[in-house]
Amino acid sequence: MKTIKKIAIANRGEVACRIHRTCHELGIKTVLLHSEPDTETLAYRMCDETALIGGAASADSYLNMDHVIAAALKHQADAIHPGFGFLSENAEFAQKVADAGMIFIGPTPETIMSFGDKKTAKELCQKAGVPTIPGYKGEDSDIDKLVSECEKIGYPVIVKATAGGGGRGMRVIHHHKEAHEQINLAKSEALKAFGNPSVFLEKYLHQAKHIEVQIFGDHKGNIHVLGERECSVQRKHQKIIEETPSTSLNTEQRTLVHGYAKKIAELANYLNAGTVEFLFQEDQFYFLEVNTRLQVEHPVTEEVFGVDLVKAQILTAQKTDLNWPAAFQPKGASIELRLYAEDPYKNGAPSIGQVGKLIFPQGQGRRYEYGIEARDRVTPYYDSMVAKIISTQDTREEAIADLLDLLDHLEIFGFYTNKPLLAQILRHPDYMANTVTTQFFENNFNLGLTPSLDAETQKVVADHLTKTLDIFYPIDSYFTHTTTSQKTPSTSAHNSSSMWSSQKNISATSGATLIPNSPWTNQWKESALYQGTPLVRLNLQNVNSMRVEDKMWWSYGSDTYSFSLRTKTSQAGGAQSGKIHSPMPGTLFKVLCQVGDKIKEGDTLVVLEAMKMEHSIKAAASGKITAVHFKQGDILQADDLILEME
């Protein structure tokens, strides 16, 4: 096998940056294969070379195998690293890479085919004696057939995309009345995310914990087990918090599940990185799936076991020895938080916008993975995860405490994130005690969050911030930035708010921060407006603010607020007085009604697509459609009026 000198990174965001850093440490050049919107990203600036592979739609760029391979060949790459998601678990793509004379950094096409198809994977595991979840995995995917099988399995049932993962193409069906809609939505999501609409059915285990085991097969045929991760905090089957080790398992259970994972890997002569996932309920493990790729949550394993999994992937791909010990000794506890671009006060609706401020607080054991900087733009085209926050300490309790302190000092302006949601989850007594199951989020946070400051207090702050714009500190006091023409590689793996030393600051119209003991802070405290208002409840030294485009953003504790500088009021989506507004930016995927239609309460009116997920908007009451203002395929902004009812 030839030595790899240049790797094409067929991915985006934080994982593209993560791969580049390891390549840089190994002296390997990188070429980023990117879509049109992803020129304003950290990965674009970091990588040694860049190649445009298509437009914003994933099908035109990151999922277009021919474009990806052609660009890699044009830039004379020796190998392609697919990261996670997109084409990372596509056996056809892995084979095409090999046929083009390049190395696919991951498992073999045969292994991906065996385990990437969840139905085939389940059959292999049954042969190995590993317990599996009851369900239907037949070839007949006719909608009526699938509904019939749901009845046989018994509700609740979960429908899953045959190819892929990450919560895409997964829907829980609680009643036969919703079976047709949920199956169709799962098929549609699977087709868009993975290019394959095939689905299968399983009995839904609603009191289970999600336990996964990290495996790695080296080029000599050795299977390494690098502990387990617990990922039970999930929303719509998408993980939010992951940790290792799992405190849910005793020594006997840990040995058992590690043995199951190793047995499955040996059965397939597994090569490179992979994860074997299980559901754990009533002291019984059930095989869930094998992810034949690098996992989003791999950093917690790296921190506890002291390895670089991306480096191991590259070395194994070129048949270089890893020199790993026969058995690993974990050290400490590590927890990862996924930071999503979403509005926690609108039940997780996607949030987009320009990044005005992004500062990650430093501390012992803290690690950050991110793909954006100040001045970049969060777009609606891809997954909503913008960063990963990891804390590794001696104990789980110390890691939780450190993450809570970190979130209180993490500053992000320009778009909403789930930062306050993460803080509330970490403080929840069930999470502290680790008694959570995969239903934890649905049972406790399904209705979204309520801001900690009431509307009256928010309005007072908005009024005062508007009146004092002229004495704000300049935006340059927050961050520095370089132009996209500067390709200086990062020498720091984590932690800085910018990965470059700036050559020249870029000015902006205005921005602000409430600096402790500043003249403005004291002026506010002494003002008549402050006296006798709800502001007396605030510690003003902990309030930060910044103008980003036409909005003022400000934070207090882990909460973030914004208001329009034109109206000084926040916009709100939803159905009010018969008017149905878009709750988020995105594409109008389906319009299921027209003027004159009579609608019943609960009917689905339209389906939006945003950040790789489909969102149904249902009628809050019965009525008649009187106006439809947008058509299928239109791009919507948050709060756009979609239709009206009487």
Side-chain angles (χ1 to χ4, degrees), residues 8 27 31 70 230 251 350 391 498 536 639:
V31 51
E230 179 161 346
T251 301
S391 178
S498 173
V536 296
D639 307 310

Side-chain angles (χ1 to χ4, degrees), residues 7 9 15-23 25-26 28 81 83-84 105 216 272-273 294-295 298-299 302 307-317 322 324 367 369:
I7 290 177
I9 301 174
V15 69
C17 298
R18 166 73 185 89
I19 294 166
H20 168 81
R21 286 199 304 270
T22 292
C23 289
E25 291 170 8
L26 293 172
I28 298 172
H81 197 307
F84 41 71
I105 300 178
F216 198 100
N272 217 280
L294 190 72
Q295 286 281 82
H298 75 274
E302 292 184 327
V307 298
D308 183 331
L309 289 173
V310 174
K311 179 180 179 181
Q313 284 190 295
I314 296 170
L315 294 180
T316 297
L322 298 180
W324 279 358
R367 169 176 171 177
E369 302 284 349

Side-chain angles (χ1 to χ4, degrees), residues 84-371:
F84 41 71
F86 296 129
L87 296 171
S88 62
E89 294 180 282
N90 190 303
E92 180 186 358
F93 175 68
Q95 187 61 57
K96 283 190 171 185
V97 172
D99 292 343
M102 294 180 290
I103 300 169
F104 178 81
I105 300 178
T108 65
E110 294 77 17
T111 299
I112 297 173
M113 185 174 295
S114 297
F115 284 129
D117 186 303
K118 295 182 178 66
K119 291 185 290 188
T120 304
K122 179 178 284 191
E123 292 168 357
L124 288 171
C125 290
Q126 288 173 336
K127 291 179 182 178
V130 179
T132 58
I133 303 169
Y136 170 75
K137 56 183 185 295
E139 295 299 324
D140 188 350
S141 60
D142 177 76
I143 187 72
D144 291 330
K145 172 64 175 176
L146 292 173
V147 172
S148 173
E149 291 296 329
C150 287
E151 303 290 333
K152 294 178 183 178
I153 296 169
Y155 297 102
V157 172
I158 185 167
V159 54
K160 296 182 178 181
T162 297
R168 312 302 178 197
M170 296 174 65
R171 295 273 172 165
V172 176
I173 308 171
H174 295 281
H175 193 275
H176 74 273
K177 291 183 178 179
E178 60 185 29
H180 277 83
E181 179 182 11
Q182 295 302 323
I183 292 172
N184 281 328
L185 285 171
K187 285 188 166 201
S188 176
E189 288 178 358
L191 179 62
K192 282 194 285 293
F194 313 114
N196 183 352
S198 178
V199 298
F200 67 102
L201 306 172
E202 284 182 347
K203 180 67 177 177
Y204 184 53
L205 303 180
H206 60 285
Q207 293 295 328
K209 285 179 171 288
H210 187 125
I211 305 293
E212 61 186 32
V213 179
Q214 177 71 57
I215 57 172
F216 198 100
D218 64 27
H219 77 97
K220 292 183 176 180
N222 300 309
I223 301 297
H224 304 271
V225 176
L226 292 91
E228 80 287 342
R229 298 182 287 254
E230 179 161 346
C231 315
S232 300
V233 181
Q234 303 176 6
R235 179 189 56 201
K236 297 180 180 178
H237 318 293
Q238 190 173 48
K239 300 165 187 173
I240 301 174
I241 299 177
E242 304 99 342
E243 58 184 272
T244 190
S246 169
T247 58
S248 301
L249 306 182
N250 59 35
T251 301
E252 182 180 354
Q253 292 164 339
R254 179 170 289 109
T255 300
L256 178 64
V257 75
H258 289 186
Y260 279 156
K262 188 170 185 178
K263 196 172 186 179
I264 291 169
E266 289 173 341
L267 183 70
N269 297 315
Y270 201 92
L271 181 72
N272 217 280
T275 303
V276 187
E277 305 202 353
F278 300 86
L279 290 180
F280 181 56
Q281 181 170 302
E282 298 176 350
D283 296 329
Q284 175 71 57
F285 290 102
Y286 297 92
F287 170 77
L288 187 61
E289 63 182 351
V290 174
N291 289 314
T292 53
R293 55 172 167 81
L294 190 72
Q295 286 281 82
V296 174
E297 55 271 23
H298 75 274
V300 295
T301 297
E302 292 184 327
E303 293 297 320
V304 167
F305 286 89
V307 298
D308 183 331
L309 289 173
V310 174
K311 179 180 179 181
Q313 284 190 295
I314 296 170
L315 294 180
T316 297
Q318 64 180 17
K319 296 187 176 180
T320 301
D321 291 351
L322 298 180
N323 296 319
W324 279 358
F328 283 94
Q329 295 299 320
K331 183 178 180 181
S334 186
I335 302 176
E336 174 181 288
L337 311 179
R338 296 193 188 190
L339 193 70
Y340 290 119
E342 62 184 37
D343 190 339
Y345 314 120
K346 290 186 178 179
N347 208 15
S351 179
I352 62 174
Q354 187 182 42
V355 185
K357 186 177 186 181
L358 183 61
I359 296 180
F360 294 105
Q362 306 308 299
Q364 183 67 34
R366 294 177 179 179
R367 169 176 171 177
Y368 302 97
E369 302 284 349
Y370 53 97

Side-chain angles (χ1 to χ4, degrees), residues 427-463:
R427 290 188 174 98
H428 196 282
D430 288 350
Y431 180 78
M432 297 284 286
N434 196 20
T435 58
V436 301
T437 69
T438 53
Q439 292 295 293
F440 166 76
F441 187 92
E442 182 176 315
N443 292 338
N444 294 281
F445 297 97
N446 205 36
L447 299 179
L449 301 185
T450 300
S452 59
L453 300 180
D454 56 45
E456 181 186 6
T457 303
Q458 292 182 50
K459 185 178 185 303
V460 171
V461 174
D463 289 341

